[in-house]
Amino acid sequence: MKFICLLFTYLYAIFILIQLIDSTTVLSSLKREVRFTVFELVSVNKTVATIQRATFKQFYDKQMLFVHALVHESISDLEVTFSVSKCKEHFIDCVNVVSYEIQNVCSKLKLLTQFSDDKTSNSQFLSCPLMGDYDFKNVSIEANKFGTMFSFPTDKWWENYWKFKVTSYTKGKQVSLVDAYVDFYFIEFRSRNRPLKN
């Protein structure tokens, strides 16, 4: 009889512990989000394109990029130099991870934007030839897509600080268009938001 009472006490304690763990959300999933420190777009040739706005804002746990650009001349033969560097904390001891020279960007737009957060981004409306008014809102970097693209599987990419530099120009580097500089790092946290129970 003593054994049965002890067993029920043990099971009751486990049940209470499970309820406490659930109520404090200790088991909520670990999230990683980007934190921008620099986002700068520079119009190198203002007769071809001008940047009206390039900034980032924070909404709850996400930071989003906002870009408003005017392209004055039709651009279809676009080329880009793209480099990614990883750094230690506070952007010291930076090392170039990868550099690309990308020709015929128009045919690769989907590939080049694959690590952006497509749930919030409207960058999928970008198509060639480029001309007119472009207003992009709520663009962010999807942490896991980024990490798998620019790191080895054993790297703790979320512990590094990152720098992007993108230079765009017309075919054959005849006319420079826009230069972009993006510095960011990742934070890790557990979400406080829990689904409502029915």
Side-chain angles (χ1 to χ4, degrees), residues 118-176:
D118 51 15
K119 295 185 291 294
T120 58
S121 168
N122 56 0
S123 58
Q124 65 267 23
F125 301 117
L126 190 62
S127 61
C128 287
L130 299 173
M131 187 167 181
D133 191 345
Y134 294 91
D135 194 8
F136 298 106
K137 300 173 182 175
N138 301 329
V139 178
S140 188
I141 294 174
E142 217 300 314
N144 291 327
K145 286 182 185 177
F146 171 84
T148 55
M149 179 173 284
F150 293 108
S151 298
F152 291 113
T154 56
D155 283 350
K156 293 183 178 179
W157 50 266
W158 58 90
E159 293 180 357
N160 295 315
Y161 283 53
W162 297 88
K163 286 177 162 288
F164 278 21
K165 182 181 177 188
V166 181
T167 304
S168 60
Y169 40 84
T170 58
K171 188 173 183 180
K173 299 186 181 179
Q174 293 175 356
V175 179
S176 292

Side-chain angles (χ1 to χ4, degrees), residues 38-44 50-55 66-69 136 166 177-182:
V38 171
F39 177 59
E40 185 179 359
L41 297 178
V42 179
S43 299
V44 179
T50 52
I51 305 300
Q52 303 294 315
R53 174 184 63 172
T55 188
F66 293 80
V67 177
H68 183 201
F136 298 106
V166 181
L177 301 173
V178 175
D179 291 345
Y181 305 92
V182 184

Side-chain angles (χ1 to χ4, degrees), residues 74-87:
S74 179
I75 302 169
S76 55
D77 292 328
L78 185 63
E79 297 184 4
V80 167
T81 301
F82 182 88
S83 66
V84 179
S85 298
K86 74 176 175 181
C87 313

Side-chain angles (χ1 to χ4, degrees), residues 61-75:
D61 59 351
K62 274 196 168 302
Q63 281 189 341
M64 308 287 192
L65 301 177
F66 293 80
V67 177
H68 183 201
L70 296 173
V71 181
H72 309 297
E73 297 179 11
S74 179
I75 302 169

